Amino acid sequence: MFFSFIHISDIHLGRPFSDLTKFSFDEKIKSIYNNAVEKAFNNFIDFALVKNVDFVLISGDTFDNIEQDFRSKLILKEGLKKLAAADIKIYIVCGNHDPISAYNKNTFDFDENSNIKIIGVNTPQYGKFLVTDKNSNPQAIIHAYSFSDNHLEENPINYFEHPQNDEKILFNIGLLHCDLDGDKSSPYAPCSTNDLKTLNYDYWALGHIHIPSYDEETIQYSGTIQGRNNKETGPHGLKYIKVENNSIIKNSFIPIDIIRFENIDIDLSQANDITSAYNIIQEFILDFINRNNNLNCELFLLKLNLSGNICFYSDINEDFYNTLSERIKNDFNNKIYISEISNQTHPKTEEKILNDDDGISGEIYRTIDDNNLDSVIEKIEKDFKNILLQCNFTKTEYNEFKEEIKEYSKEECINLCNIIYYNEIKQEQ
Ligand SMILES: [Mn+2]
């Protein structure tokens, strides 16, 4: 017995991109972000049709809001109808953003025999569905539970049933929107990996977490299909699962996103001036492109995290950002945009200059010697005696720990001197 299915979640139709309005002057970006979610959704529909999967599972937060705009309703309804017309069955649970009441019965007028099941809308709130193939041979059992309200404070596992008798020999799937292994007082269906495991299902299709996560092969969050801000970084897409004789034989993640957010950490300590810093950044971006050039994404939005101690600290300014962003956009054919630059660099001054300085920075710098650092260690040993005892360090570990603290304190003091010196020089100018 063989079958395949798709698991997706958190489509959030109607949810805007945050931080992108600052690009609204750019017609190209505007058109990409206006259509990204619809295109990503259609990528999913096309994939399901091409692979001719047996069924599709959607794990909640399909809509961003209880009240939806017409376009969102249309996207969902048209997509579902295409799948149903190809004899692909669809199971949708409701999440905290789109509880049962979000599905207006006039719009989502599927009857109980329809291939489209919106749990709690045209079925009871907890549903158990036997999926059969075209010859009516049983394939799988889907256990599904929907949010009736924006909040579900109890553990939803209480509603799920253990597979009974004949069901045990089938492939059992749990379909749920929930807060797994989080705070027990979470209002979003709190439960634990252990709770799920006690039911002995073969796969859990979960929703709520927007970054795909699959620590366990059988308990997975597929994540949102399209990230909407620079916290939802990395690839977004769908899970494609193939099952043979009740075992998962393929479990793959297929990216279908149109806009991708990424954070890139760039250490500039090796740069000796602003031009070489620019070249280093360009190389990082080239490398990023080379690693991602086979993707269908139309736009990459990169947040650059710049770090390192640099002697050209004052050159990392608005003027640099503007030139860099403009150049990157042009060099990469409007496909890469710098969405944000986080400047975590520190000013660096030659140690000799600090040592000779007759201001506060020089005074602090000259006090950083081993004797003073030893007294820092002595103070830590005295003040945190009990905590240190609990660490059960071996003698070697303890010595390493002390060396690390000294190294770290020294670095921080030198950073401080550099910052003070930099500000002193700036004031004099
Ligand atoms: Mn969500």
Side-chain angles (χ1 to χ4, degrees):
M1 182 211 47
F2 171 86
F3 64 88
S4 65
F5 67 93
I6 286 174
H7 160 208
I8 65 167
S9 186
D10 294 82
I11 305 165
H12 283 272
L13 291 166
R15 182 175 175 220
F17 285 88
S18 29
D19 308 327
L20 283 193
T21 41
K22 66 183 174 201
F23 293 119
S24 57
F25 62 89
D26 187 314
E27 287 303 321
K28 189 179 173 216
I29 293 203
K30 205 170 157 187
S31 132
I32 294 175
Y33 72 67
N34 278 341
N35 297 303
V37 178
E38 182 164 359
K39 281 190 182 174
F41 185 78
N42 289 337
N43 283 346
F44 142 65
I45 300 290
D46 292 345
F47 186 88
L49 294 173
V50 168
K51 295 292 180 188
N52 192 23
V53 294
D54 292 80
F55 55 93
V56 158
L57 307 172
I58 306 181
S59 316
D61 284 4
T62 303
F63 291 120
D64 194 47
N65 280 305
I66 293 184
E67 300 286 332
Q68 310 103 29
D69 55 294
F70 177 57
R71 188 183 180 194
S72 297
K73 284 190 257 201
L74 203 59
I75 294 171
L76 181 64
K77 206 167 170 184
E78 285 177 345
L80 297 183
K81 280 191 164 171
K82 274 192 206 168
L83 298 180
D87 230 0
I88 295 172
K89 300 173 188 80
I90 301 137
Y91 301 86
I92 302 175
V93 285
C94 304
N96 55 300
H97 278 260
D98 63 340
I100 293 167
S101 56
Y103 293 85
N104 182 306
K105 297 234 166 46
N106 297 325
T107 311
F108 298 97
D109 51 352
F110 312 117
D111 67 41
E112 58 192 30
N113 300 317
S114 164
N115 266 352
I116 305 168
K117 308 266 190 240
I118 305 178
I119 315 308
V121 179
N122 62 339
T123 82
Q125 189 179 358
Y126 171 75
K128 196 165 82 173
F129 308 93
L130 175 69
V131 192
T132 56
D133 68 11
K134 291 167 183 88
N135 303 319
S136 303
N137 297 316
Q139 290 174 315
I141 301 213
I142 296 165
H143 308 254
Y145 187 78
S146 273
F147 273 58
S148 59
D149 210 334
N150 291 113
H151 289 158
L152 175 64
E153 274 154 25
E154 57 191 324
N155 187 331
I157 297 309
N158 302 331
Y159 295 97
F160 284 78
E161 291 175 8
H162 283 88
Q164 311 282 316
N165 311 321
D166 290 356
E167 295 171 357
K168 286 183 188 158
I169 55 160
L170 294 173
F171 193 86
N172 283 265
I173 300 175
L175 176 58
L176 178 66
H177 195 82
C178 66
D179 194 348
L180 189 68
D181 295 330
D183 193 338
K184 283 200 175 75
S185 60
S186 159
Y188 307 115
C191 54
S192 71
T193 302
N194 269 343
D195 294 335
L196 267 48
K197 282 185 173 168
T198 54
L199 284 157
N200 278 326
Y201 291 176
D202 302 282
Y203 185 83
W204 278 94
L206 304 182
H208 192 53
I209 303 295
H210 287 194
I211 302 275
S213 68
Y214 19 88
D215 296 342
E216 308 234 359
E217 194 189 40
T218 56
I219 301 177
Q220 310 216 336
Y221 277 105
S222 60
T224 177
I225 62 167
Q226 171 60 65
R228 303 295 211 288
N229 56 53
N230 63 16
K231 288 192 190 80
E232 294 173 0
T233 52
H236 288 277
L238 56 85
K239 296 292 307 180
Y240 173 48
I241 316 278
K242 284 185 184 176
V243 177
E244 192 167 11
N245 297 330
N246 274 349
S247 298
I248 295 176
I249 54 163
K250 188 184 173 88
N251 183 342
S252 42
F253 177 77
I254 314 288
I256 55 172
D257 46 350
I258 302 295
I259 300 178
R260 186 157 310 170
F261 294 87
E262 289 286 357
N263 283 325
I264 301 192
D265 297 328
I266 306 179
D267 181 359
L268 295 178
S269 3
Q270 298 303 317
N272 33 30
D273 62 16
I274 190 73
T275 327
S276 57
Y278 174 77
N279 293 335
I280 289 175
I281 294 173
Q282 245 190 343
E283 261 171 46
F284 264 91
I285 293 177
L286 255 177
D287 175 60
F288 173 80
I289 292 290
N290 289 336
R291 281 185 284 117
N292 293 288
N293 63 0
N294 56 345
L295 295 171
N296 295 323
C297 292
E298 293 176 25
L299 180 65
F300 290 94
L301 288 156
L302 308 183
K303 180 184 174 205
L304 306 184
N305 301 314
L306 307 181
S307 63
N309 294 352
I310 50 174
C311 53
F312 51 93
Y313 180 73
S314 59
D315 292 333
I316 304 276
N317 53 24
E318 201 66 26
D319 174 38
F320 175 71
Y321 294 167
N322 292 339
T323 308
L324 176 74
S325 305
E326 195 59 29
R327 281 289 188 94
I328 297 295
K329 186 180 104 171
N330 295 336
D331 289 355
F332 297 99
N333 209 10
N334 284 355
K335 207 175 169 182
I336 308 259
Y337 276 72
I338 307 296
S339 63
E340 197 182 330
I341 295 181
S342 160
N343 183 8
Q344 295 146 21
T345 60
H346 291 293
K348 186 173 87 181
T349 317
E350 269 181 56
E351 301 212 359
K352 188 176 176 326
I353 296 180
L354 286 179
N355 201 29
D356 295 346
D357 176 61
D358 52 11
I360 307 170
S361 48
E363 212 168 291
I364 299 176
Y365 184 80
R366 288 187 294 276
T367 62
I368 311 170
D369 60 31
D370 276 347
N371 288 338
N372 277 337
L373 291 170
D374 281 338
S375 63
V376 172
I377 300 285
E378 272 165 35
K379 184 152 174 47
I380 291 176
E381 283 180 316
K382 194 169 147 243
D383 292 357
F384 300 99
K385 197 176 167 189
N386 286 335
I387 295 173
L388 288 170
L389 276 173
Q390 282 169 27
C391 293
N392 284 326
F393 284 127
T394 64
K395 204 169 165 106
T396 330
E397 280 169 349
Y398 191 59
N399 286 337
E400 276 169 8
F401 165 76
K402 285 202 293 192
E403 276 313 305
E404 261 175 49
I405 291 186
K406 268 166 84 171
E407 245 344 278
Y408 180 76
S409 316
K410 195 172 168 183
E411 253 173 56
E412 285 300 303
C413 286
I414 294 176
N415 278 346
L416 181 67
C417 295
N418 275 307
I419 292 167
I420 296 172
Y421 183 80
Y422 174 80
N423 287 323
E424 278 174 344
I425 294 290
K426 221 165 105 183
Q427 269 172 17
E428 281 170 20
Q429 281 167 353

